[in-house]
Amino acid sequence: MIAAAVVIGVVAIGVLFGYMLWEARGLTITEEVVVLERLPSSFDGVRLFFITDFHRRIVTEQHLSELARHEKAELVLVGGDMIERGVPLERCLHNMGCLRRYAPVIGVHGNHDYKTDIRKLDENLRDIGVKLLDNEAMRLEQGGEFIWLAGWDDYSSGRTDIRLAMSEPRSEPHCTIVLTHDPLSLRGVDVSGIDLVLSGHTHGGQICVPGYGPVRTGKYYRKYLAGWYDYRDDANWRTKLFISRGFGTSHLPFRLNSKPEAHFITLRSSAKTTVS
């Protein structure tokens, strides 16, 4: 009886690990719509493709064919962790090159990017046409109007400089989207003037036990784990926060109840929505 129980236990563990490995190899592409009050009417309907946390994973032709089934996005936003220690640079360049063929790519660094040769990484990414925002903002222009896209450098490695990144958006206020790897970068920050924040890093907990939740996640990330949030700062300014579960995995190649994902995000203007 004891031997049989051991065998059953070993088989059950094997099945569980097999399932977690299978789940980690999938990809769910979601369609998100966000209404922004300050979004210029000329940007109404603009589509972004948001993907983050590649780590060791490879973008395949099958993934690209899945993208092609959706209405095309005008811009790809990459939320960091494009690579990690021990991953060949060529793999990262392959992934970013695939996305670059799809649409222009703008990204920020994540904590794992800084565990590699960051200068070499950045040089090669720029060579293939990937735009990196290191605590800076750029204008996205359309129909004679513009919005700001600000990129905050990685938080956990101490490189986030919000004052620098937001200097132009705050001197010339317009609708502002922030791309930041780690949602913890928002804690204690004045988010006034920020309309939308796109983030990753959490992996949605990566391994989430039913009835318990993420096995290894801090208190802040349990509150801001994945999906949409109305984020309010101490002054009660409200911004929309979206956290992706990400594409790859860290530490272990497993996921449980937190499937890999990437997202099409359609921007809608509240003025247009009201008129409609």
Side-chain angles (χ1 to χ4, degrees):
M1 292 293 291
I2 294 177
V6 170
V7 170
I8 291 172
V10 170
V11 170
I13 291 172
V15 169
L16 175 61
F17 275 85
Y19 175 81
M20 291 194 295
L21 186 64
W22 172 83
E23 184 172 305
R25 291 176 175 174
L27 178 63
T28 298
I29 298 178
T30 72
E31 287 281 352
E32 312 287 342
V33 178
V34 58
V35 178
L36 303 178
E37 292 183 6
R38 299 194 301 168
L39 186 74
S41 58
S42 62
F43 280 81
D44 186 73
V46 165
R47 285 170 61 78
L48 309 173
F49 181 67
F50 177 48
I51 184 168
T52 183
D53 295 278
F54 292 77
H55 294 279
R56 295 181 169 273
R57 204 160 177 206
I58 300 173
V59 174
T60 67
E61 290 302 319
Q62 181 180 348
H63 296 139
L64 295 176
S65 66
E66 290 178 28
L67 294 189
R69 297 190 187 103
H70 295 253
E71 181 184 345
K72 189 171 173 60
E74 287 90 337
L75 193 65
V76 175
L77 300 182
V78 174
D81 281 359
M82 297 167 276
I83 194 171
E84 66 176 41
R85 183 185 290 121
V87 173
L89 176 60
E90 291 73 20
R91 185 181 303 176
C92 174
L93 297 179
H94 162 82
N95 289 341
M96 296 303 115
C98 287
L99 296 176
R100 182 66 186 85
R101 293 201 311 269
Y102 176 77
V105 177
I106 300 173
V108 294
H109 294 122
N111 55 306
H112 284 275
D113 298 320
Y114 280 106
K115 296 177 182 179
T116 66
D117 186 338
I118 194 69
R119 291 185 179 180
K120 187 175 181 180
L121 173 65
D122 288 1
E123 284 179 9
N124 280 271
L125 289 175
R126 292 186 179 106
D127 285 346
I128 64 172
V130 174
K131 170 70 174 176
L132 296 170
L133 293 178
D134 291 335
N135 293 318
E136 60 185 306
M138 64 181 293
R139 291 174 183 241
L140 302 180
E141 300 183 351
Q142 182 155 301
E145 299 176 296
F146 79 92
I147 64 175
W148 291 109
L149 175 62
W152 297 359
D153 206 352
D154 179 56
Y155 176 79
S156 64
S157 54
R159 291 175 170 85
T160 302
D161 188 335
I162 294 172
R163 176 183 291 184
L164 179 61
M166 300 301 295
S167 58
E168 288 186 287
R170 285 183 170 155
S171 65
E172 192 176 356
H174 279 76
C175 181
T176 300
I177 298 173
V178 167
L179 183 62
T180 180
H181 176 65
D182 189 342
L184 190 58
S185 62
L186 292 169
R187 187 171 63 178
V189 170
D190 172 13
V191 298
S192 62
I194 298 174
D195 301 87
L196 173 63
V197 178
L198 301 177
S199 189
H201 184 64
T202 69
H203 296 202
Q206 190 165 312
I207 297 177
C208 299
V209 177
Y212 176 78
V215 171
R216 186 174 176 270
T217 299
K219 182 178 178 181
Y220 185 89
Y221 297 122
R222 282 184 175 270
K223 183 177 181 181
Y224 299 106
L225 188 64
W228 287 100
Y229 300 90
D230 282 329
Y231 187 92
R232 296 177 184 269
D233 63 17
D234 293 338
N236 213 34
W237 177 278
R238 182 183 129 197
T239 188
K240 293 180 172 66
L241 168 62
F242 182 72
I243 303 173
S244 173
R245 291 180 173 86
F247 179 60
T249 60
S250 62
H251 304 296
L252 296 172
F254 301 121
R255 282 181 178 261
L256 181 63
N257 295 322
S258 182
K259 294 181 179 179
E261 58 185 18
H263 320 272
F264 284 96
I265 300 175
T266 302
L267 305 180
R268 296 301 311 273
S269 167
S270 62
K272 281 272 191 176
T273 305
T274 302
V275 171
S276 300

PDB file of all heavy atoms in Angstrom, residues 97-130:
ATOM      1  N   GLY A  97      14.028  41.352 -33.646  1.00  0.00           N
ATOM      2  CA  GLY A  97      13.977  41.482 -35.101  1.00  0.00           C
ATOM      3  C   GLY A  97      12.640  41.032 -35.671  1.00  0.00           C
ATOM      4  O   GLY A  97      12.102  41.645 -36.598  1.00  0.00           O
ATOM      5  N   CYS A  98      12.082  39.950 -35.106  1.00  0.00           N
ATOM      6  CA  CYS A  98      10.757  39.486 -35.537  1.00  0.00           C
ATOM      7  C   CYS A  98       9.707  40.560 -35.288  1.00  0.00           C
ATOM      8  O   CYS A  98       8.860  40.835 -36.159  1.00  0.00           O
ATOM      9  CB  CYS A  98      10.385  38.210 -34.798  1.00  0.00           C
ATOM     10  SG  CYS A  98      11.283  36.737 -35.310  1.00  0.00           S
ATOM     11  N   LEU A  99       9.751  41.167 -34.114  1.00  0.00           N
ATOM     12  CA  LEU A  99       8.788  42.225 -33.793  1.00  0.00           C
ATOM     13  C   LEU A  99       9.027  43.455 -34.651  1.00  0.00           C
ATOM     14  O   LEU A  99       8.078  44.129 -35.060  1.00  0.00           O
ATOM     15  CB  LEU A  99       8.890  42.581 -32.311  1.00  0.00           C
ATOM     16  CG  LEU A  99       8.509  41.465 -31.333  1.00  0.00           C
ATOM     17  CD1 LEU A  99       8.758  41.910 -29.900  1.00  0.00           C
ATOM     18  CD2 LEU A  99       7.046  41.057 -31.516  1.00  0.00           C
ATOM     19  N   ARG A 100      10.300  43.740 -34.940  1.00  0.00           N
ATOM     20  CA  ARG A 100      10.635  44.917 -35.752  1.00  0.00           C
ATOM     21  C   ARG A 100      10.098  44.756 -37.169  1.00  0.00           C
ATOM     22  O   ARG A 100       9.722  45.745 -37.813  1.00  0.00           O
ATOM     23  CB  ARG A 100      12.163  45.113 -35.761  1.00  0.00           C
ATOM     24  CG  ARG A 100      12.630  46.347 -36.535  1.00  0.00           C
ATOM     25  CD  ARG A 100      12.161  47.618 -35.861  1.00  0.00           C
ATOM     26  NE  ARG A 100      12.483  48.781 -36.654  1.00  0.00           N
ATOM     27  CZ  ARG A 100      11.734  49.259 -37.643  1.00  0.00           C
ATOM     28  NH1 ARG A 100      10.603  48.630 -37.967  1.00  0.00           N
ATOM     29  NH2 ARG A 100      12.095  50.330 -38.296  1.00  0.00           N
ATOM     30  N   ARG A 101      10.057  43.535 -37.670  1.00  0.00           N
ATOM     31  CA  ARG A 101       9.479  43.301 -38.996  1.00  0.00           C
ATOM     32  C   ARG A 101       7.980  43.547 -38.992  1.00  0.00           C
ATOM     33  O   ARG A 101       7.394  43.890 -40.015  1.00  0.00           O
ATOM     34  CB  ARG A 101       9.753  41.869 -39.463  1.00  0.00           C
ATOM     35  CG  ARG A 101      11.210  41.577 -39.735  1.00  0.00           C
ATOM     36  CD  ARG A 101      11.376  40.370 -40.659  1.00  0.00           C
ATOM     37  NE  ARG A 101      10.583  39.217 -40.229  1.00  0.00           N
ATOM     38  CZ  ARG A 101      11.029  38.270 -39.424  1.00  0.00           C
ATOM     39  NH1 ARG A 101      12.249  38.366 -38.910  1.00  0.00           N
ATOM     40  NH2 ARG A 101      10.265  37.247 -39.116  1.00  0.00           N
ATOM     41  N   TYR A 102       7.368  43.341 -37.842  1.00  0.00           N
ATOM     42  CA  TYR A 102       5.922  43.523 -37.718  1.00  0.00           C
ATOM     43  C   TYR A 102       5.557  45.000 -37.671  1.00  0.00           C
ATOM     44  O   TYR A 102       4.634  45.452 -38.359  1.00  0.00           O
ATOM     45  CB  TYR A 102       5.421  42.803 -36.464  1.00  0.00           C
ATOM     46  CG  TYR A 102       3.955  43.002 -36.199  1.00  0.00           C
ATOM     47  CD1 TYR A 102       2.991  42.305 -36.923  1.00  0.00           C
ATOM     48  CD2 TYR A 102       3.529  43.899 -35.221  1.00  0.00           C
ATOM     49  CE1 TYR A 102       1.639  42.502 -36.685  1.00  0.00           C
ATOM     50  CE2 TYR A 102       2.182  44.096 -34.976  1.00  0.00           C
ATOM     51  CZ  TYR A 102       1.241  43.398 -35.715  1.00  0.00           C
ATOM     52  OH  TYR A 102      -0.094  43.604 -35.480  1.00  0.00           O
ATOM     53  N   ALA A 103       6.250  45.794 -36.844  1.00  0.00           N
ATOM     54  CA  ALA A 103       5.956  47.215 -36.664  1.00  0.00           C
ATOM     55  C   ALA A 103       7.134  47.856 -35.934  1.00  0.00           C
ATOM     56  O   ALA A 103       7.966  47.156 -35.353  1.00  0.00           O
ATOM     57  CB  ALA A 103       4.661  47.412 -35.870  1.00  0.00           C
ATOM     58  N   PRO A 104       7.233  49.192 -35.930  1.00  0.00           N
ATOM     59  CA  PRO A 104       8.284  49.846 -35.150  1.00  0.00           C
ATOM     60  C   PRO A 104       8.227  49.421 -33.686  1.00  0.00           C
ATOM     61  O   PRO A 104       7.146  49.245 -33.125  1.00  0.00           O
ATOM     62  CB  PRO A 104       7.958  51.338 -35.313  1.00  0.00           C
ATOM     63  CG  PRO A 104       7.225  51.416 -36.616  1.00  0.00           C
ATOM     64  CD  PRO A 104       6.422  50.151 -36.700  1.00  0.00           C
ATOM     65  N   VAL A 105       9.401  49.255 -33.069  1.00  0.00           N
ATOM     66  CA  VAL A 105       9.498  48.741 -31.711  1.00  0.00           C
ATOM     67  C   VAL A 105      10.125  49.788 -30.791  1.00  0.00           C
ATOM     68  O   VAL A 105      11.181  50.355 -31.108  1.00  0.00           O
ATOM     69  CB  VAL A 105      10.343  47.450 -31.652  1.00  0.00           C
ATOM     70  CG1 VAL A 105      10.486  46.959 -30.209  1.00  0.00           C
ATOM     71  CG2 VAL A 105       9.723  46.368 -32.523  1.00  0.00           C
ATOM     72  N   ILE A 106       9.467  50.029 -29.657  1.00  0.00           N
ATOM     73  CA  ILE A 106       9.989  50.905 -28.610  1.00  0.00           C
ATOM     74  C   ILE A 106       9.979  50.113 -27.309  1.00  0.00           C
ATOM     75  O   ILE A 106       8.986  49.459 -26.985  1.00  0.00           O
ATOM     76  CB  ILE A 106       9.131  52.175 -28.461  1.00  0.00           C
ATOM     77  CG1 ILE A 106       9.117  52.964 -29.779  1.00  0.00           C
ATOM     78  CG2 ILE A 106       9.667  53.067 -27.330  1.00  0.00           C
ATOM     79  CD1 ILE A 106       8.170  54.141 -29.770  1.00  0.00           C
ATOM     80  N   GLY A 107      11.072  50.168 -26.561  1.00  0.00           N
ATOM     81  CA  GLY A 107      11.144  49.369 -25.350  1.00  0.00           C
ATOM     82  C   GLY A 107      11.846  50.068 -24.206  1.00  0.00           C
ATOM     83  O   GLY A 107      12.433  51.147 -24.357  1.00  0.00           O
ATOM     84  N   VAL A 108      11.772  49.432 -23.049  1.00  0.00           N
ATOM     85  CA  VAL A 108      12.507  49.854 -21.855  1.00  0.00           C
ATOM     86  C   VAL A 108      13.248  48.648 -21.301  1.00  0.00           C
ATOM     87  O   VAL A 108      12.954  47.501 -21.641  1.00  0.00           O
ATOM     88  CB  VAL A 108      11.571  50.437 -20.766  1.00  0.00           C
ATOM     89  CG1 VAL A 108      10.929  51.736 -21.234  1.00  0.00           C
ATOM     90  CG2 VAL A 108      10.504  49.418 -20.352  1.00  0.00           C
ATOM     91  N   HIS A 109      14.203  48.922 -20.424  1.00  0.00           N
ATOM     92  CA  HIS A 109      14.950  47.846 -19.785  1.00  0.00           C
ATOM     93  C   HIS A 109      14.185  47.267 -18.601  1.00  0.00           C
ATOM     94  O   HIS A 109      13.438  47.970 -17.927  1.00  0.00           O
ATOM     95  CB  HIS A 109      16.293  48.359 -19.267  1.00  0.00           C
ATOM     96  CG  HIS A 109      17.231  48.779 -20.330  1.00  0.00           C
ATOM     97  ND1 HIS A 109      17.761  50.030 -20.408  1.00  0.00           N
ATOM     98  CD2 HIS A 109      17.729  48.087 -21.399  1.00  0.00           C
ATOM     99  CE1 HIS A 109      18.565  50.113 -21.448  1.00  0.00           C
ATOM    100  NE2 HIS A 109      18.560  48.959 -22.078  1.00  0.00           N
ATOM    101  N   GLY A 110      14.452  45.981 -18.335  1.00  0.00           N
ATOM    102  CA  GLY A 110      14.007  45.331 -17.111  1.00  0.00           C
ATOM    103  C   GLY A 110      15.208  44.949 -16.272  1.00  0.00           C
ATOM    104  O   GLY A 110      16.366  45.087 -16.704  1.00  0.00           O
ATOM    105  N   ASN A 111      14.965  44.427 -15.091  1.00  0.00           N
ATOM    106  CA  ASN A 111      16.072  44.101 -14.191  1.00  0.00           C
ATOM    107  C   ASN A 111      17.001  43.030 -14.748  1.00  0.00           C
ATOM    108  O   ASN A 111      18.220  43.087 -14.574  1.00  0.00           O
ATOM    109  CB  ASN A 111      15.537  43.676 -12.815  1.00  0.00           C
ATOM    110  CG  ASN A 111      14.542  42.535 -12.897  1.00  0.00           C
ATOM    111  OD1 ASN A 111      13.550  42.613 -13.629  1.00  0.00           O
ATOM    112  ND2 ASN A 111      14.761  41.475 -12.141  1.00  0.00           N
ATOM    113  N   HIS A 112      16.451  42.053 -15.479  1.00  0.00           N
ATOM    114  CA  HIS A 112      17.303  40.996 -16.015  1.00  0.00           C
ATOM    115  C   HIS A 112      18.161  41.475 -17.176  1.00  0.00           C
ATOM    116  O   HIS A 112      19.230  40.901 -17.438  1.00  0.00           O
ATOM    117  CB  HIS A 112      16.454  39.789 -16.427  1.00  0.00           C
ATOM    118  CG  HIS A 112      15.995  38.963 -15.272  1.00  0.00           C
ATOM    119  ND1 HIS A 112      16.768  37.973 -14.705  1.00  0.00           N
ATOM    120  CD2 HIS A 112      14.847  38.996 -14.556  1.00  0.00           C
ATOM    121  CE1 HIS A 112      16.112  37.420 -13.690  1.00  0.00           C
ATOM    122  NE2 HIS A 112      14.941  38.021 -13.587  1.00  0.00           N
ATOM    123  N   ASP A 113      17.739  42.501 -17.883  1.00  0.00           N
ATOM    124  CA  ASP A 113      18.572  43.049 -18.951  1.00  0.00           C
ATOM    125  C   ASP A 113      19.898  43.551 -18.397  1.00  0.00           C
ATOM    126  O   ASP A 113      20.944  43.447 -19.049  1.00  0.00           O
ATOM    127  CB  ASP A 113      17.835  44.196 -19.660  1.00  0.00           C
ATOM    128  CG  ASP A 113      16.554  43.733 -20.333  1.00  0.00           C
ATOM    129  OD1 ASP A 113      16.562  42.642 -20.924  1.00  0.00           O
ATOM    130  OD2 ASP A 113      15.544  44.462 -20.254  1.00  0.00           O
ATOM    131  N   TYR A 114      19.859  44.088 -17.189  1.00  0.00           N
ATOM    132  CA  TYR A 114      21.065  44.639 -16.578  1.00  0.00           C
ATOM    133  C   TYR A 114      21.984  43.561 -16.003  1.00  0.00           C
ATOM    134  O   TYR A 114      23.078  43.873 -15.534  1.00  0.00           O
ATOM    135  CB  TYR A 114      20.698  45.649 -15.492  1.00  0.00           C
ATOM    136  CG  TYR A 114      20.342  46.996 -16.073  1.00  0.00           C
ATOM    137  CD1 TYR A 114      19.020  47.428 -16.117  1.00  0.00           C
ATOM    138  CD2 TYR A 114      21.327  47.821 -16.597  1.00  0.00           C
ATOM    139  CE1 TYR A 114      18.700  48.652 -16.674  1.00  0.00           C
ATOM    140  CE2 TYR A 114      21.011  49.049 -17.154  1.00  0.00           C
ATOM    141  CZ  TYR A 114      19.701  49.466 -17.191  1.00  0.00           C
ATOM    142  OH  TYR A 114      19.383  50.675 -17.743  1.00  0.00           O
ATOM    143  N   LYS A 115      21.562  42.313 -16.057  1.00  0.00           N
ATOM    144  CA  LYS A 115      22.426  41.225 -15.623  1.00  0.00           C
ATOM    145  C   LYS A 115      23.239  40.659 -16.784  1.00  0.00           C
ATOM    146  O   LYS A 115      23.928  39.654 -16.653  1.00  0.00           O
ATOM    147  CB  LYS A 115      21.588  40.126 -14.955  1.00  0.00           C
ATOM    148  CG  LYS A 115      20.896  40.604 -13.682  1.00  0.00           C
ATOM    149  CD  LYS A 115      20.012  39.533 -13.077  1.00  0.00           C
ATOM    150  CE  LYS A 115      19.293  40.072 -11.832  1.00  0.00           C
ATOM    151  NZ  LYS A 115      18.389  39.071 -11.220  1.00  0.00           N
ATOM    152  N   THR A 116      23.126  41.315 -17.942  1.00  0.00           N
ATOM    153  CA  THR A 116      23.897  40.947 -19.130  1.00  0.00           C
ATOM    154  C   THR A 116      24.811  42.118 -19.489  1.00  0.00           C
ATOM    155  O   THR A 116      24.892  43.105 -18.759  1.00  0.00           O
ATOM    156  CB  THR A 116      22.952  40.629 -20.303  1.00  0.00           C
ATOM    157  OG1 THR A 116      22.253  41.825 -20.694  1.00  0.00           O
ATOM    158  CG2 THR A 116      21.928  39.579 -19.916  1.00  0.00           C
ATOM    159  N   ASP A 117      25.478  42.021 -20.612  1.00  0.00           N
ATOM    160  CA  ASP A 117      26.308  43.128 -21.110  1.00  0.00           C
ATOM    161  C   ASP A 117      25.369  44.164 -21.723  1.00  0.00           C
ATOM    162  O   ASP A 117      25.030  44.098 -22.904  1.00  0.00           O
ATOM    163  CB  ASP A 117      27.307  42.601 -22.138  1.00  0.00           C
ATOM    164  CG  ASP A 117      28.303  43.662 -22.601  1.00  0.00           C
ATOM    165  OD1 ASP A 117      27.993  44.869 -22.475  1.00  0.00           O
ATOM    166  OD2 ASP A 117      29.374  43.283 -23.097  1.00  0.00           O
ATOM    167  N   ILE A 118      24.938  45.121 -20.898  1.00  0.00           N
ATOM    168  CA  ILE A 118      23.878  46.041 -21.310  1.00  0.00           C
ATOM    169  C   ILE A 118      24.314  46.939 -22.459  1.00  0.00           C
ATOM    170  O   ILE A 118      23.513  47.276 -23.337  1.00  0.00           O
ATOM    171  CB  ILE A 118      23.385  46.870 -20.099  1.00  0.00           C
ATOM    172  CG1 ILE A 118      22.062  47.578 -20.410  1.00  0.00           C
ATOM    173  CG2 ILE A 118      24.461  47.839 -19.632  1.00  0.00           C
ATOM    174  CD1 ILE A 118      20.893  46.651 -20.544  1.00  0.00           C
ATOM    175  N   ARG A 119      25.572  47.348 -22.479  1.00  0.00           N
ATOM    176  CA  ARG A 119      26.033  48.214 -23.567  1.00  0.00           C
ATOM    177  C   ARG A 119      25.994  47.495 -24.906  1.00  0.00           C
ATOM    178  O   ARG A 119      25.561  48.049 -25.921  1.00  0.00           O
ATOM    179  CB  ARG A 119      27.450  48.718 -23.274  1.00  0.00           C
ATOM    180  CG  ARG A 119      27.526  49.702 -22.112  1.00  0.00           C
ATOM    181  CD  ARG A 119      28.923  50.255 -21.955  1.00  0.00           C
ATOM    182  NE  ARG A 119      28.992  51.209 -20.860  1.00  0.00           N
ATOM    183  CZ  ARG A 119      30.088  51.855 -20.492  1.00  0.00           C
ATOM    184  NH1 ARG A 119      31.224  51.641 -21.157  1.00  0.00           N
ATOM    185  NH2 ARG A 119      30.066  52.697 -19.483  1.00  0.00           N
ATOM    186  N   LYS A 120      26.457  46.256 -24.885  1.00  0.00           N
ATOM    187  CA  LYS A 120      26.429  45.462 -26.119  1.00  0.00           C
ATOM    188  C   LYS A 120      24.992  45.202 -26.551  1.00  0.00           C
ATOM    189  O   LYS A 120      24.660  45.269 -27.745  1.00  0.00           O
ATOM    190  CB  LYS A 120      27.177  44.149 -25.904  1.00  0.00           C
ATOM    191  CG  LYS A 120      27.342  43.326 -27.165  1.00  0.00           C
ATOM    192  CD  LYS A 120      28.198  42.094 -26.894  1.00  0.00           C
ATOM    193  CE  LYS A 120      28.399  41.273 -28.160  1.00  0.00           C
ATOM    194  NZ  LYS A 120      29.235  40.061 -27.885  1.00  0.00           N
ATOM    195  N   LEU A 121      24.143  44.901 -25.581  1.00  0.00           N
ATOM    196  CA  LEU A 121      22.724  44.682 -25.884  1.00  0.00           C
ATOM    197  C   LEU A 121      22.122  45.910 -26.545  1.00  0.00           C
ATOM    198  O   LEU A 121      21.484  45.819 -27.597  1.00  0.00           O
ATOM    199  CB  LEU A 121      21.965  44.351 -24.596  1.00  0.00           C
ATOM    200  CG  LEU A 121      20.441  44.268 -24.709  1.00  0.00           C
ATOM    201  CD1 LEU A 121      20.026  43.105 -25.598  1.00  0.00           C
ATOM    202  CD2 LEU A 121      19.796  44.147 -23.326  1.00  0.00           C
ATOM    203  N   ASP A 122      22.324  47.074 -25.935  1.00  0.00           N
ATOM    204  CA  ASP A 122      21.732  48.304 -26.458  1.00  0.00           C
ATOM    205  C   ASP A 122      22.261  48.649 -27.843  1.00  0.00           C
ATOM    206  O   ASP A 122      21.502  49.063 -28.730  1.00  0.00           O
ATOM    207  CB  ASP A 122      21.998  49.458 -25.499  1.00  0.00           C
ATOM    208  CG  ASP A 122      21.175  49.353 -24.221  1.00  0.00           C
ATOM    209  OD1 ASP A 122      20.418  48.372 -24.084  1.00  0.00           O
ATOM    210  OD2 ASP A 122      21.281  50.249 -23.365  1.00  0.00           O
ATOM    211  N   GLU A 123      23.556  48.490 -28.045  1.00  0.00           N
ATOM    212  CA  GLU A 123      24.145  48.779 -29.358  1.00  0.00           C
ATOM    213  C   GLU A 123      23.499  47.923 -30.441  1.00  0.00           C
ATOM    214  O   GLU A 123      23.143  48.414 -31.515  1.00  0.00           O
ATOM    215  CB  GLU A 123      25.656  48.513 -29.331  1.00  0.00           C
ATOM    216  CG  GLU A 123      26.469  49.574 -28.636  1.00  0.00           C
ATOM    217  CD  GLU A 123      27.953  49.228 -28.639  1.00  0.00           C
ATOM    218  OE1 GLU A 123      28.336  48.257 -29.338  1.00  0.00           O
ATOM    219  OE2 GLU A 123      28.715  49.916 -27.939  1.00  0.00           O
ATOM    220  N   ASN A 124      23.358  46.641 -30.155  1.00  0.00           N
ATOM    221  CA  ASN A 124      22.796  45.724 -31.149  1.00  0.00           C
ATOM    222  C   ASN A 124      21.314  45.990 -31.381  1.00  0.00           C
ATOM    223  O   ASN A 124      20.832  45.874 -32.514  1.00  0.00           O
ATOM    224  CB  ASN A 124      23.030  44.284 -30.719  1.00  0.00           C
ATOM    225  CG  ASN A 124      24.434  43.795 -31.020  1.00  0.00           C
ATOM    226  OD1 ASN A 124      24.696  43.268 -32.092  1.00  0.00           O
ATOM    227  ND2 ASN A 124      25.340  43.986 -30.075  1.00  0.00           N
ATOM    228  N   LEU A 125      20.587  46.338 -30.330  1.00  0.00           N
ATOM    229  CA  LEU A 125      19.165  46.636 -30.507  1.00  0.00           C
ATOM    230  C   LEU A 125      18.982  47.886 -31.357  1.00  0.00           C
ATOM    231  O   LEU A 125      18.108  47.928 -32.235  1.00  0.00           O
ATOM    232  CB  LEU A 125      18.491  46.810 -29.143  1.00  0.00           C
ATOM    233  CG  LEU A 125      18.307  45.540 -28.320  1.00  0.00           C
ATOM    234  CD1 LEU A 125      17.748  45.867 -26.943  1.00  0.00           C
ATOM    235  CD2 LEU A 125      17.389  44.549 -29.030  1.00  0.00           C
ATOM    236  N   ARG A 126      19.791  48.888 -31.107  1.00  0.00           N
ATOM    237  CA  ARG A 126      19.692  50.104 -31.927  1.00  0.00           C
ATOM    238  C   ARG A 126      20.058  49.829 -33.379  1.00  0.00           C
ATOM    239  O   ARG A 126      19.483  50.410 -34.290  1.00  0.00           O
ATOM    240  CB  ARG A 126      20.579  51.196 -31.327  1.00  0.00           C
ATOM    241  CG  ARG A 126      20.060  51.712 -29.978  1.00  0.00           C
ATOM    242  CD  ARG A 126      20.856  52.900 -29.467  1.00  0.00           C
ATOM    243  NE  ARG A 126      20.317  53.368 -28.196  1.00  0.00           N
ATOM    244  CZ  ARG A 126      20.886  53.177 -27.015  1.00  0.00           C
ATOM    245  NH1 ARG A 126      22.048  52.532 -26.948  1.00  0.00           N
ATOM    246  NH2 ARG A 126      20.332  53.621 -25.906  1.00  0.00           N
ATOM    247  N   ASP A 127      21.022  48.919 -33.590  1.00  0.00           N
ATOM    248  CA  ASP A 127      21.439  48.579 -34.951  1.00  0.00           C
ATOM    249  C   ASP A 127      20.309  47.953 -35.759  1.00  0.00           C
ATOM    250  O   ASP A 127      20.273  48.091 -36.994  1.00  0.00           O
ATOM    251  CB  ASP A 127      22.633  47.621 -34.923  1.00  0.00           C
ATOM    252  CG  ASP A 127      23.946  48.324 -34.558  1.00  0.00           C
ATOM    253  OD1 ASP A 127      23.977  49.574 -34.599  1.00  0.00           O
ATOM    254  OD2 ASP A 127      24.916  47.621 -34.226  1.00  0.00           O
ATOM    255  N   ILE A 128      19.394  47.241 -35.071  1.00  0.00           N
ATOM    256  CA  ILE A 128      18.278  46.628 -35.809  1.00  0.00           C
ATOM    257  C   ILE A 128      17.020  47.497 -35.754  1.00  0.00           C
ATOM    258  O   ILE A 128      15.944  47.061 -36.158  1.00  0.00           O
ATOM    259  CB  ILE A 128      17.975  45.203 -35.304  1.00  0.00           C
ATOM    260  CG1 ILE A 128      17.506  45.208 -33.845  1.00  0.00           C
ATOM    261  CG2 ILE A 128      19.175  44.298 -35.482  1.00  0.00           C
ATOM    262  CD1 ILE A 128      17.019  43.833 -33.368  1.00  0.00           C
ATOM    263  N   GLY A 129      17.163  48.719 -35.244  1.00  0.00           N
ATOM    264  CA  GLY A 129      16.054  49.673 -35.308  1.00  0.00           C
ATOM    265  C   GLY A 129      15.130  49.705 -34.128  1.00  0.00           C
ATOM    266  O   GLY A 129      14.038  50.273 -34.223  1.00  0.00           O
ATOM    267  N   VAL A 130      15.544  49.113 -32.994  1.00  0.00           N
ATOM    268  CA  VAL A 130      14.716  49.157 -31.784  1.00  0.00           C
ATOM    269  C   VAL A 130      15.040  50.436 -31.017  1.00  0.00           C
ATOM    270  O   VAL A 130      16.204  50.722 -30.738  1.00  0.00           O
ATOM    271  CB  VAL A 130      14.961  47.933 -30.894  1.00  0.00           C
ATOM    272  CG1 VAL A 130      14.209  48.060 -29.567  1.00  0.00           C
ATOM    273  CG2 VAL A 130      14.552  46.657 -31.621  1.00  0.00           C
TER     274      VAL A 130
END
